[in-house]
Amino acid sequence: MYEIACAKVARRPSPFCWRSRMALAHKGFDVETVPAYFTEKDAWPTPNTGTVPIIVDGDRVVGDSWAIAEYLEERYPDRPSLFGGEVGCALARFVQDWVETVMQPGLARLCLLDGLRTLTPADQTYYRNTREPRFGMTIEELVADREARLPAFRASLDPLRRVAERWDFVCGRTPAYADYIIFGTFQWARIVSDFETLAGDDPVQTWRGRMLDLFGGLARCALAYGS
Ligand SMILES: N[C@@H](CCC(=O)N[C@@H](CS)C(=O)NCC(=O)O)C(=O)O
């Protein structure tokens, strides 16, 4: 699996790649990861979608975290299910939409400058030049007053908080792909920043701890600034 690496090559921050890392572990695969850089896309496998994760499974190359989850589910139906059927798949897609429209932008406004600083110098320039026109502001402006924005970010997690109060995992008694989608974004924040995005007594924090413990502590062992 090709995944974004930082100036320190062992640091692997991409929230999308973490979705796939967790999905591959869920299916019981040991994965060889290949560091990928924004400014060295020529080294990525073909077909090159221009984004990672990309997995290479024998002669199959699959890019895009959602496509990878669907591929794993179809190709390896006898291994633990990521979606639990068609209804679960549709609900996981809703979770992905919520993460990408609410949670990820909210967390970016807290931790993106820290994230930028972890990249190689060339990737920092690339990232700024591609993202700042999209945001309509500098990354410094994006994260300005992050302390003041923290309560609103935490409040935006209320749907997740209610689920975390009810079940051990978003998908119920055991984790599945929707958990990995949400977790990937928290894992990004933890890997690039020591900013405390969650209160210690938050049920979301308890859920996040369970996610860090999965698969022998796969995510907890990753090189990170946060706890
Ligand atoms: N929809 C894609 C998005 C993946 C994505 O945006 N990955 C980032 C790394 S976090 C990337 O490769 N960006 C390349 C670029 O910005 O040029 C997925 O779910 O895999």
Side-chain angles (χ1 to χ4, degrees), residues 4 14-16 19 38 41 44 50-53 64-66 96 100 126 130-131 134:
I4 293 293
S14 165
F16 303 100
R19 294 178 192 176
F38 290 105
K41 290 188 186 180
W44 300 5
T51 64
V52 286
D64 186 87
S65 59
W66 183 266
Q96 177 164 305
E100 292 181 3
Y126 171 88
T130 52
R131 276 18 180 224
R134 264 187 237 169

Side-chain angles (χ1 to χ4, degrees), residues 15-223:
F16 303 100
C17 296
W18 273 101
R19 294 178 192 176
S20 298
R21 276 281 282 278
M22 299 296 277
L24 285 157
H26 181 103
K27 286 283 183 190
F29 289 112
D30 274 339
V31 180
E32 181 193 342
T33 63
V34 183
Y37 298 92
F38 290 105
T39 44
E40 294 177 19
K41 290 188 186 180
D42 290 351
W44 300 5
T46 314
N48 185 337
T49 51
T51 64
V52 286
I54 300 172
I55 62 162
V56 182
D57 184 25
D59 56 5
R60 280 294 303 269
V61 177
V62 187
D64 186 87
S65 59
W66 183 266
I68 290 169
E70 285 191 318
Y71 166 78
L72 293 174
E73 195 72 342
E74 277 168 33
R75 174 76 181 79
Y76 301 102
D78 298 336
R79 294 180 178 234
S81 174
L82 288 166
F83 297 123
E86 202 179 319
V87 173
C89 183
L91 280 171
R93 190 70 198 206
F94 167 76
V95 168
Q96 177 164 305
D97 289 337
W98 177 74
V99 165
E100 292 181 3
T101 56
V102 177
M103 190 195 151
Q104 208 155 277
L107 210 48
R109 299 210 71 168
L110 306 179
C111 300
L112 198 63
L113 184 59
D114 295 333
L116 181 75
R117 289 178 175 146
T118 63
L119 299 176
T120 64
D123 275 10
Q124 286 193 32
T125 304
Y126 171 88
Y127 200 83
R128 243 188 219 290
N129 291 343
T130 52
R131 276 18 180 224
E132 290 183 343
R134 264 187 237 169
F135 298 139
M137 63 183 96
T138 65
I139 292 175
E140 283 77 2
E141 285 165 344
L142 190 83
V143 302
D145 298 327
R146 65 177 177 174
E147 294 285 352
R149 217 176 283 106
L150 190 55
F153 170 73
R154 290 180 177 173
S156 78
L157 301 177
D158 272 348
L160 175 59
R161 191 163 291 117
R162 289 188 182 196
V163 175
E165 281 165 352
R166 200 175 298 132
W167 305 103
D168 280 356
F169 296 99
V170 172
C171 294
R173 281 188 308 270
T174 56
Y177 195 62
D179 287 276
Y180 307 141
I181 297 171
I182 302 169
F183 175 73
T185 299
F186 280 116
Q187 179 71 340
W188 164 75
R190 172 178 177 271
I191 284 173
V192 302
S193 177
D194 62 0
F195 189 67
E196 297 284 350
T197 57
L198 296 170
D201 60 353
D202 190 333
V204 176
Q205 183 79 291
T206 312
W207 164 83
R208 198 186 68 111
R210 284 190 202 105
M211 298 300 294
L212 288 167
D213 289 337
L214 292 176
F215 315 123
L218 170 71
R220 198 182 285 285
C221 293
L223 181 63

